[in-house]
């Protein structure tokens, strides 16, 4: 948990995928409501950049999404979360996790063979 | 500052095809300021490459470093003890930095991660424009602080030429005529007499025409 989505940068989001996430959901305050003026606007731009990166490397851009919510919108939070989780489940494991579950031995052999 | 743009990931992945463990080296100089080759870009590029390679079934190991400057020998030296533990270096400094590293570490293949651009300024976040071509014989005092070499598409010295139409250059309607800018500025400064002071011809011997240049400051060496 971060005090402001403005602290999120591209490398943190990509690290989540490196650490095995199948999807990453970024939830910021409502636009216009940022305590630090434009933290959530910056976060949106960074999420968009990561979206483009994921698209370029065929990880699947839909695996990242930004939502805006106020702290009082618990029900909406739950709805957004299940919506996103369902979407990621439909997409299945990320290509990284697929490669990892194919077993490190196999890919090691491949590396040695080339 | 020296500007640049990131190379497409696909092109970088192709360059990295023969390698499984590399260094990604950034620079805290110009390329940090124009957001193409600093510490942050090292992290993002390295993560991107690791993800792409692992998804393709062939992991890559990356050491992430960011040097104070890649164009000064003392900042390159700290890499010497470990550089040969890696198969190649992907540098995201400017072309000068990349070449200097290649010269100092002759056994390591050096790969460019960015396309180096020009000597320019930041108009606003995300927009840079060219200002100087390093001609080696500056005339800005005579041209109202506007460079005819860079701002005039033909680098002429007694413009505007016939291709100047209502303040725009014939090469592109989005490009302002450099010479119109110069004349307007000289009028504003009440310095139109400078126009006549410009040399009848510009010597280019101090520019790139004689091949790669060298500066030796006797007072400093
Ligand atoms: S290596 Fe290039 S980008 Fe880095 S400080 Fe030197 S001139 Fe600037
Ligand atoms: S006149 Fe030469 S040195 Fe001066 S700004 Fe133009 S290119 Fe650069």
């Amino acid at each position: 948990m971060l005090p402001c989505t403005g602290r999120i940068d591209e490398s943190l989001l990509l690290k989540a995928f490196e650490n095995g996430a199948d999807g990453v959901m970024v939830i910021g305050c409502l636009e216009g409501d940022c305590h630090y003026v434009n933290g959530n606007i910056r976060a949106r731009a960074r999420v968009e950049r990561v979206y483009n990166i994921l698209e370029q490397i065929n990880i699947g851009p839909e695996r990242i999404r930004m939502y805006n919510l106020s702290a009082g919108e618990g029900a909406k939070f739950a709805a957004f979360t299940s919506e996103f989780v369902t979407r990621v489940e439909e997409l299945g494991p990320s290509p990284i996790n697929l490669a990892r579950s194919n077993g490190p031995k196999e890919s090691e052999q491949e590396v040695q063979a080339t | 500052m020296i500007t640049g743009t990131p190379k497409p990931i696909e092109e970088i992945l192709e360059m990295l095809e023969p390698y499984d463990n590399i260094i990604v080296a950034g620079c805290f100089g110009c390329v940090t300021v124009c957001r193409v080759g600093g510490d942050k870009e090292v992290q993002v590029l390295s993560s991107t490459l690791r993800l792409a390679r692992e998804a393709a079934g062939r992991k890559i190991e990356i050491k992430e470093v960011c040097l104070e400057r890649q164009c000064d020998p003392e900042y390159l030296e700290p890499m010497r003890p470990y550089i040969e533990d890696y198969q190649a270096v992907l540098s995201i400094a400017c072309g000068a930095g990349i070449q200097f590293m290649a010269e100092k570490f002759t056994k390591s293949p050096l790969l460019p991660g960015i396309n180096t651009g020009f000597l320019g300024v930041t108009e606003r976040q995300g927009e840079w424009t060219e200002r100087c071509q390093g001609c080696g014989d500056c005339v800005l005092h005579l041209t109202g602080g506007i460079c005819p070499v860079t701002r005039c598409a033909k680098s002429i010295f007694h413009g505007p030429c016939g291709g100047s139409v209502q303040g725009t250059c014939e090469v592109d309607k989005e490009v302002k005529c450099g010479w119109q800018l110069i004349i307007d500025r000289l009028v504003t400064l009440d310095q139109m007499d400078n126009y006549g002071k410009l040399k009848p011809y510009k010597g280019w011997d101090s520019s790139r025409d004689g091949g790669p240049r060298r500066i030796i400051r006797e007072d400093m060496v």
Side-chain angles (χ1 to χ4, degrees):
Chain A
M1 219 132 51
L2 293 162
C4 173
T5 48
R7 168 61 184 89
I8 292 177
D9 69 35
E10 295 90 327
S11 64
L12 282 180
L13 297 170
L14 290 166
K15 274 267 156 21
F17 287 99
E18 283 196 72
N19 289 337
D22 288 322
V24 174
M25 197 179 172
V26 177
I27 305 173
C29 300
L30 293 172
E31 285 188 6
D33 250 8
C34 177
H35 196 73
Y36 303 98
V37 188
N38 55 7
N40 49 3
I41 308 282
R42 288 176 179 208
R44 178 167 297 284
R46 290 170 189 159
V47 167
E48 240 162 68
R49 267 179 238 139
V50 173
Y51 180 99
N52 290 330
I53 291 175
L54 295 179
E55 193 167 35
Q56 281 172 51
I57 58 175
N58 301 318
I59 303 282
E62 318 89 286
R63 294 182 186 278
I64 188 154
R65 200 161 157 193
M66 174 144 184
Y67 294 90
N68 296 85
L69 280 173
S70 88
E73 295 178 303
K76 236 181 178 179
F77 170 71
F80 283 162
T81 310
S82 8
E83 176 196 279
F84 186 70
V85 169
T86 312
R87 182 73 195 114
V88 172
E89 275 169 357
E90 278 164 16
L91 293 168
S94 84
I96 307 299
N97 288 332
L98 278 179
R100 283 179 191 166
S101 63
N102 281 344
K105 275 182 206 132
E106 243 182 74
S107 53
E108 261 169 33
Q109 275 165 4
E110 237 181 79
V111 170
Q112 281 163 6
T114 48
Chain B
M1 103 191 91
I2 296 178
T3 58
T5 48
K7 271 192 181 291
I9 286 297
E10 232 172 90
E11 190 182 336
I12 296 180
L13 285 169
E14 211 179 299
M15 277 185 226
L16 293 178
E17 208 23 62
Y19 309 114
D20 298 310
N21 77 329
I22 61 156
I23 297 172
V24 171
C27 172
F28 281 117
C30 321
V31 289
T32 289
V33 186
C34 67
R35 298 274 302 271
V36 73
D39 198 22
K40 221 172 141 174
E41 290 74 30
V42 166
Q43 292 172 29
V44 173
L45 179 60
S46 301
S47 279
T48 305
L49 295 172
R50 276 192 296 265
L51 286 168
R53 282 285 293 261
E54 195 169 357
R58 201 173 141 220
K59 277 194 180 184
I60 187 162
E61 229 173 87
I62 299 179
K63 180 177 175 68
E64 303 174 18
V65 296
C66 196
L67 310 184
E68 198 55 39
R69 284 192 295 277
Q70 292 191 21
C71 53
D72 272 317
E74 57 267 49
Y75 298 118
L76 292 172
E77 247 356 87
M79 289 182 78
R80 197 170 294 282
Y82 61 80
I83 191 164
E84 283 177 33
D85 297 340
Y86 297 85
Q87 297 165 321
V89 182
L90 175 68
S91 167
I92 51 176
C94 74
I98 303 173
Q99 290 184 59
F100 209 34
M101 196 184 286
E103 275 165 46
K104 300 289 172 205
F105 306 118
T106 47
K107 288 191 183 144
S108 301
L110 256 292
L111 319 168
I114 72 164
N115 291 323
T116 301
F118 45 76
L119 293 186
V121 298
T122 311
E123 297 279 1
R124 61 191 164 113
Q125 188 167 313
E127 183 182 346
W128 297 271
T129 50
E130 186 168 17
R131 286 294 185 279
C132 173
Q133 291 192 12
C135 77
D137 184 14
C138 198
V139 296
L140 289 174
H141 58 303
L142 298 175
T143 55
I146 295 164
C147 169
V149 182
T150 314
R151 306 295 295 276
C152 164
K154 296 170 183 156
S155 300
I156 55 174
F157 263 65
H158 294 93
C161 75
S164 175
V165 182
Q166 288 177 338
T168 62
C169 173
E170 66 180 335
V171 299
D172 183 342
K173 284 202 170 53
E174 298 294 310
V175 175
K176 287 189 178 137
C177 165
W179 270 101
Q180 190 62 56
L181 294 174
I182 292 171
I183 304 280
D184 291 349
R185 179 100 170 107
L186 289 178
V187 169
T188 309
L189 294 172
D190 199 16
Q191 287 185 353
M192 263 312 275
D193 54 322
N194 277 349
Y195 188 63
K197 286 187 202 153
L198 277 167
K199 298 170 196 164
Y201 63 88
K202 162 134 175 103
W204 294 98
D205 52 329
S206 57
S207 187
R208 272 221 78 254
D209 301 32
R213 290 170 283 176
R214 168 197 297 237
I215 294 174
I216 299 180
R217 291 260 318 261
E218 294 296 353
D219 56 331
M220 289 175 71
V221 289

